[in-house]
Amino acid sequence: MEQPSHPITYKEAKTIIRNKFHPTWQASNRTLYNHKEPIYKLSRRHQTTVFRLRTGHCRRLNHLHLLTVSHTDECPCGSGQQDVENVLQQCARSQTLRADTWPTEQQKL
Ligand SMILES: [Zn+2]
């Protein structure tokens, strides 16, 4: 494709691309996502956090080790591989935060 003879800025290129593909993106978005699901009531930031926790693509050592950013995938507390499940359910270092965040189990009558 022949290119324009004058250079454009990154912002101008971004605007051109957005204007060209925005209608297509909107149409595909409507069919891909059910916006009545509760997750869509969260902010974008919180949706991103949930996505990262579900997929394991976050800064836990098992993922960083996979990316060769960390030399180990073992949690410093010694409870095993530091993944999302470990941090949310087993890690001794997160015990206080878990107790403060989640309700405790009620006693059975
Ligand atoms: Zn731990």
Side-chain angles (χ1 to χ4, degrees):
M1 177 184 254
E2 189 172 325
Q3 299 297 309
S5 60
H6 59 86
I8 61 172
T9 65
Y10 173 75
K11 188 176 180 183
E12 289 170 331
K14 197 172 165 183
T15 301
I16 291 168
I17 292 168
R18 181 183 294 132
N19 288 342
K20 181 173 182 175
F21 291 104
H22 189 72
T24 307
W25 178 80
Q26 275 188 319
S28 64
N29 226 11
R30 275 192 293 272
T31 57
L32 287 175
Y33 304 105
N34 177 2
H35 290 276
K36 291 180 181 174
E37 290 181 20
I39 193 168
Y40 295 108
K41 291 179 180 155
L42 298 175
S43 67
R44 171 78 178 156
R45 181 170 174 246
H46 289 130
Q47 287 181 37
T48 302
T49 300
V50 170
F51 176 82
R52 288 178 179 164
L53 291 173
R54 284 178 172 173
T55 61
H57 287 241
C58 54
R59 294 184 182 187
R60 303 292 57 88
L61 288 178
N62 74 317
H63 190 62
L64 296 178
H65 185 63
L66 188 71
L67 300 174
T68 67
V69 176
S70 170
H71 68 282
T72 181
D73 62 351
E74 293 294 316
C75 186
C77 77
S79 64
Q81 186 184 56
Q82 188 190 60
D83 55 14
V84 173
E85 182 181 340
N86 170 276
V87 172
L88 293 178
Q89 299 179 354
Q90 298 148 1
C91 180
R93 299 171 73 201
S94 307
Q95 179 61 39
T96 306
L97 185 59
R98 276 196 303 272
D100 292 345
T101 305
W102 292 331
T104 57
E105 187 176 336
Q106 293 182 353
Q107 286 185 326
K108 293 180 182 177
L109 300 175

Coordinates of all heavy atoms in Angstrom, one line a residue, residues 39-52:
I39 N -19.5 -9.4 36.7 CA -18.1 -8.9 36.6 C -18.1 -7.6 35.9 O -17.2 -6.7 36.1 CB -17.2 -9.9 35.9 CG1 -15.8 -9.5 36.2 CG2 -17.6 -10.1 34.5 CD1 -14.8 -10.6 35.8
Y40 N -19.0 -7.3 35.0 CA -19.0 -6.1 34.2 C -19.5 -4.9 35.0 O -19.5 -3.8 34.6 CB -19.8 -6.2 32.9 CG -19.1 -7.2 32.0 CD1 -19.7 -8.5 31.8 CD2 -17.9 -6.9 31.4 CE1 -19.1 -9.4 31.0 CE2 -17.3 -7.8 30.6 CZ -17.8 -9.1 30.4 OH -17.2 -10.0 29.6
K41 N -20.0 -5.2 36.2 CA -20.4 -4.1 37.1 C -19.2 -3.5 37.9 O -19.2 -2.5 38.5 CB -21.5 -4.5 38.1 CG -22.8 -4.8 37.4 CD -23.8 -5.3 38.3 CE -25.1 -5.5 37.5 NZ -26.0 -6.5 38.2
L42 N -18.1 -4.3 37.8 CA -16.8 -3.9 38.5 C -16.1 -2.8 37.6 O -16.4 -2.8 36.4 CB -15.9 -5.0 38.7 CG -16.4 -6.2 39.5 CD1 -15.4 -7.3 39.5 CD2 -16.6 -5.7 41.0
S43 N -15.2 -2.1 38.2 CA -14.4 -1.1 37.4 C -13.5 -1.9 36.5 O -13.2 -3.1 36.8 CB -13.6 -0.2 38.4 OG -12.7 -1.0 39.1
R44 N -13.0 -1.2 35.5 CA -12.0 -1.9 34.6 C -10.8 -2.4 35.4 O -10.3 -3.5 35.2 CB -11.6 -0.8 33.6 CG -10.4 -1.3 32.7 CD -10.9 -2.2 31.6 NE -9.8 -2.6 30.8 CZ -9.7 -3.7 30.1 NH1 -10.8 -4.5 30.1 NH2 -8.7 -4.0 29.4
R45 N -10.4 -1.7 36.4 CA -9.2 -2.1 37.2 C -9.5 -3.4 38.0 O -8.7 -4.3 38.0 CB -8.9 -0.9 38.2 CG -7.7 -1.2 39.1 CD -7.3 0.0 39.8 NE -6.3 -0.3 40.8 CZ -6.4 -0.3 42.1 NH1 -7.5 0.2 42.6 NH2 -5.4 -0.6 42.9
H46 N -10.7 -3.5 38.5 CA -11.0 -4.7 39.3 C -11.3 -5.9 38.4 O -11.0 -7.0 38.7 CB -12.2 -4.4 40.2 CG -11.9 -3.5 41.4 ND1 -12.6 -2.4 41.7 CD2 -10.9 -3.5 42.2 CE1 -12.1 -1.8 42.7 NE2 -11.0 -2.5 43.1
Q47 N -11.9 -5.6 37.2 CA -12.0 -6.7 36.2 C -10.7 -7.2 35.8 O -10.5 -8.5 35.7 CB -12.7 -6.1 34.9 CG -14.2 -5.9 35.1 CD -14.8 -5.4 33.8 OE1 -14.5 -5.8 32.7 NE2 -15.7 -4.4 33.9
T48 N -9.7 -6.4 35.6 CA -8.3 -6.8 35.3 C -7.7 -7.6 36.4 O -7.1 -8.7 36.1 CB -7.5 -5.6 35.0 OG1 -8.0 -4.8 34.0 CG2 -6.0 -6.0 34.6
T49 N -8.0 -7.3 37.6 CA -7.4 -8.0 38.8 C -8.1 -9.4 38.8 O -7.3 -10.4 38.9 CB -7.7 -7.3 40.1 OG1 -7.1 -6.0 40.0 CG2 -7.2 -8.1 41.3
V50 N -9.4 -9.5 38.6 CA -10.0 -10.8 38.6 C -9.5 -11.7 37.4 O -9.2 -12.9 37.6 CB -11.6 -10.6 38.5 CG1 -12.3 -12.0 38.2 CG2 -12.1 -10.0 39.7
F51 N -9.3 -11.1 36.3 CA -8.8 -11.8 35.1 C -7.4 -12.4 35.4 O -7.1 -13.5 35.1 CB -8.8 -10.9 33.9 CG -8.1 -11.5 32.7 CD1 -8.9 -12.4 31.9 CD2 -6.8 -11.3 32.4 CE1 -8.3 -13.0 30.8 CE2 -6.2 -11.9 31.3 CZ -7.0 -12.8 30.5
R52 N -6.6 -11.5 36.0 CA -5.2 -12.0 36.3 C -5.2 -13.1 37.3 O -4.4 -14.1 37.2 CB -4.4 -10.8 36.8 CG -4.0 -9.9 35.7 CD -3.3 -8.7 36.2 NE -2.9 -7.8 35.1 CZ -2.5 -6.6 35.2 NH1 -2.4 -6.0 36.4 NH2 -2.3 -5.8 34.1

